[in-house]
């Protein structure tokens, strides 16, 4: 439509302005794009928060998975173009003089562009973290504590918006999103996170509930894809465009395809369900050691170190279906490690040490 073309062309002008005038901040903006990467939720934010507060950690995974699932459905419905290929195919520029947008190794996302998954994932997770931190200070009653709470409130929400704005600018700078796509992503993420503030049932969910949720998310997404495919609507239309217009074929990554994100999130939710409902979790995280600061610190350190080893493992991409299966297994292993395996090993280590001292 004419209005959408006008919105896109104005977005291209903003991208050109950023790439021209903010060149000195390129490394910082690329870093902020990595900060907004939804995969950091499982490898950094979750292991930290789960050991500090299991309620917040559990909510974090649910928010991340459901938020990313909604992001996938919205992408399929909205059919949003990405700047780096839109400028090559649009007919609104006269005499074939399309603007030149610089690309980077993290530019060539293969899924549709609206809403931004990075912006949505970043806003929903940071919303959970900020509200969790503020829940500790809101209980303070005396006047000095109330003043401190207000200052903390202002400081944390300022940090929240600084991070979201930085992530949004970074995604626009690398020409992988238009400005309206990152704005939509931020507010969609906040809505998902706020919805889970009023969903306490996830804290007591059984393994059966986790399995049912996973099946629903998978069947709905797959069914939606197949129905539209029968109607001759290809929901993977963005993948060939990405391959065609990416400046460097090596920058195309199967991990950015729509189904890769779906499989990754289903794996993470499965791993969380298995971990929380395991005997290892009950023995370690519900036992007497769980209240000790030393236990939590050791769990955090061991979890972060182990998950970095997982990141070293490269899943083969030559066979797409094998990639999805291995990606599911790897994603399930990460929360399972944080929730059950690492705490149980730390628990055994501390118990052995205590026996030796006695």
């Amino acid at each position: 439509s004419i209005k959408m073309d006008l919105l896109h062309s104005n977005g291209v002008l903003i991208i050109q302005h950023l790439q021209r005038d903010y060149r000195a901040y390129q490394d910082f903006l690329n870093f902020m794009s990595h900060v907004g990467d939804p995969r950091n939720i499982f490898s950094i934010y979750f292991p930290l928060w789960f050991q500090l507060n299991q309620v917040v950690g559990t909510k974090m995974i649910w928010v991340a998975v459901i938020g990313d699932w909604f992001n996938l459905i919205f992408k399929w419905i909205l059919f949003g173009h990405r700047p780096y290929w839109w400028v090559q195919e649009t007919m609104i520029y006269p005499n074939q003089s399309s603007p030149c947008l610089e690309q980077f190794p993290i530019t060539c996302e293969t899924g549709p562009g609206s809403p931004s998954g990075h912006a949505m994932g970043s806003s929903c997770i940071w919303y959970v973290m900020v509200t969790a931190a503020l829940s500790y200070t809101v209980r303070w009653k005396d006047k000095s504590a109330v003043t401190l709470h207000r200052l903390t409130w202002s400081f944390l929400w300022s940090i929240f918006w600084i991070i979201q704005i930085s992530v949004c600018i970074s995604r626009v700078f690398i020409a992988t999103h238009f400005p309206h796509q990152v704005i939509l992503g931020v507010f969609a993420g906040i809505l998902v996170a706020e919805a889970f503030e009023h969903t306490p049932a996830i804290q007591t969910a059984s393994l059966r509930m986790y399995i049912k949720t996973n099946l629903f998310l998978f069947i709905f997404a797959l069914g939606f894809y197949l129905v539209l495919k029968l109607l001759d609507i290809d929901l993977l239309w963005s993948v060939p465009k990405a391959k065609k217009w990416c400046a460097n074929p090596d920058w195309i990554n199967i991990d950015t395809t729509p189904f890769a994100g779906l499989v990754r999130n289903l794996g993470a939710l499965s791993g969380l369900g298995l971990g929380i409902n395991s005997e290892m979790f009950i023995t370690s995280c519900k036992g007497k050691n769980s209240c000790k600061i030393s236990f939590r610190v050791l769990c955090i350190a061991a979890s972060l170190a182990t998950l970095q080893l997982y990141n070293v493992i490269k899943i083969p991409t030559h066979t797409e279906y094998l990639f999805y299966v291995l990606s599911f297994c790897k994603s399930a292993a990460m929360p399972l490690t944080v929730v059950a395996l690492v705490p149980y090993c730390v628990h055994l280590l501390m118990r052995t040490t205590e026996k030796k001292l006695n």
Side-chain angles (χ1 to χ4, degrees), residues 84 101-104 108 242-251:
Y84 75 92
L101 299 181
E102 184 175 355
Q103 296 183 24
F104 303 86
C108 299
K243 292 180 178 179
K244 180 179 180 180
W245 297 115
C246 184
N248 186 338
D250 293 336
W251 295 347

Side-chain angles (χ1 to χ4, degrees), residues 80-95:
H81 289 275
R82 292 186 185 271
Y84 75 92
W85 76 58
W86 180 84
V87 294
Q88 305 291 341
E89 299 189 343
T90 182
M91 303 300 293
I92 71 168
Y93 297 108
N95 302 323

Side-chain angles (χ1 to χ4, degrees), residues 27 46 52 137 150 177 193 218 232 237-238 292 309 317 345:
D27 291 340
F46 170 66
L52 295 174
T137 62
R150 289 174 179 171
H177 284 295
F218 177 72
D232 204 27
W237 59 273
S238 60
K292 297 179 180 179
L309 293 177
T317 59
C345 290

Side-chain angles (χ1 to χ4, degrees), residues 311-323:
N311 289 332
V312 173
I313 301 173
K314 300 300 179 183
I315 300 175
T317 59
H318 57 276
T319 305
E320 192 169 352
Y321 292 110
L322 177 63
F323 171 82

Side-chain angles (χ1 to χ4, degrees), residues 18-328:
L18 289 174
Q19 291 188 345
R20 182 182 65 249
D21 298 338
Y22 286 78
R23 172 63 57 192
Y25 304 101
Q26 176 181 330
D27 291 340
F28 171 75
L29 292 173
N30 285 335
F31 169 75
M32 290 308 300
S33 192
H34 286 295
V35 168
D37 192 330
R39 285 169 290 196
N40 289 333
I41 297 167
F42 308 115
S43 61
I44 298 176
Y45 303 137
F46 170 66
L48 282 171
W49 273 96
F50 187 81
Q51 305 303 341
L52 295 174
N53 188 315
Q54 292 169 10
V55 172
V56 177
T58 302
K59 185 194 299 182
M60 190 174 286
I61 291 291
W62 277 88
V63 167
V65 170
I66 301 301
D68 210 44
W69 183 83
F70 273 116
N71 183 263
L72 172 64
I73 301 301
F74 289 154
K75 284 179 184 292
W76 279 348
I77 293 173
L78 297 177
F79 281 79
H81 289 275
R82 292 186 185 271
Y84 75 92
W85 76 58
W86 180 84
V87 294
Q88 305 291 341
E89 299 189 343
T90 182
M91 303 300 293
I92 71 168
Y93 297 108
N95 302 323
Q96 304 295 321
S97 57
S98 59
C100 180
L101 299 181
E102 184 175 355
Q103 296 183 24
F104 303 86
I106 55 176
T107 295
C108 299
E109 299 270 352
T110 57
S114 187
S116 166
H118 280 64
M120 190 168 174
S122 175
S123 65
C124 70
I125 288 305
W126 280 91
Y127 188 93
V128 169
M129 291 193 290
V130 169
T131 53
L134 290 175
S135 67
Y136 290 103
T137 62
V138 74
R139 303 166 191 159
W140 299 340
K141 299 299 182 182
D142 58 89
K143 288 185 177 180
S144 60
V146 169
T147 302
L148 181 59
H149 168 71
R150 289 174 179 171
L151 290 173
T152 305
W153 187 95
S154 300
F155 173 75
L156 289 179
W157 284 117
S158 296
I159 294 295
F160 172 86
W161 284 110
I162 288 171
I163 290 173
Q164 304 322 311
I165 291 170
S166 298
V167 170
C168 289
I169 291 174
S170 73
R171 300 302 288 171
V172 175
F173 173 84
I174 64 174
T176 200
H177 284 295
F178 291 103
H180 69 277
Q181 295 173 343
V182 292
I183 293 171
L184 178 60
V186 168
F187 287 103
I190 291 173
L191 287 175
V192 171
E194 179 59 29
F196 274 87
E197 290 293 318
H198 311 285
T199 314
I202 60 173
Q203 301 299 333
T204 56
S206 63
L207 182 58
R208 178 176 294 183
M209 181 63 183
Y210 277 91
I211 294 173
K212 287 181 177 179
T213 303
N214 258 359
L215 287 174
F216 171 79
L217 296 178
F218 177 72
I219 292 172
F220 186 97
L222 183 62
F224 187 70
Y225 170 78
L226 293 176
V227 167
L228 290 184
K229 191 170 184 178
L230 289 174
L231 297 175
D232 204 27
I233 299 174
D234 183 14
L235 292 181
L236 300 181
W237 59 273
S238 60
V239 177
K241 288 183 181 292
K243 292 180 178 179
K244 180 179 180 180
W245 297 115
C246 184
N248 186 338
D250 293 336
W251 295 347
I252 295 289
N253 192 340
I254 191 176
D255 200 27
T256 65
T257 59
F259 279 112
L262 176 65
V263 168
R264 183 171 58 246
N265 287 314
L266 295 180
L269 195 61
S270 298
L272 178 65
L274 288 170
I276 283 182
N277 290 280
S278 68
E279 286 297 324
M280 287 189 292
F281 171 76
I282 295 171
T283 301
S284 55
C285 293
K286 295 295 183 181
K288 61 178 183 178
N289 282 330
S290 62
C291 298
K292 297 179 180 179
I293 295 178
S294 57
F295 173 80
R296 296 187 179 188
V297 171
L298 284 172
C299 285
I300 290 173
S303 296
L304 290 173
T306 306
L307 294 186
Q308 295 313 306
L309 293 177
Y310 281 141
N311 289 332
V312 173
I313 301 173
K314 300 300 179 183
I315 300 175
T317 59
H318 57 276
T319 305
E320 192 169 352
Y321 292 110
L322 177 63
F323 171 82
Y324 290 144
V325 171
L326 294 179
S327 180
F328 178 90

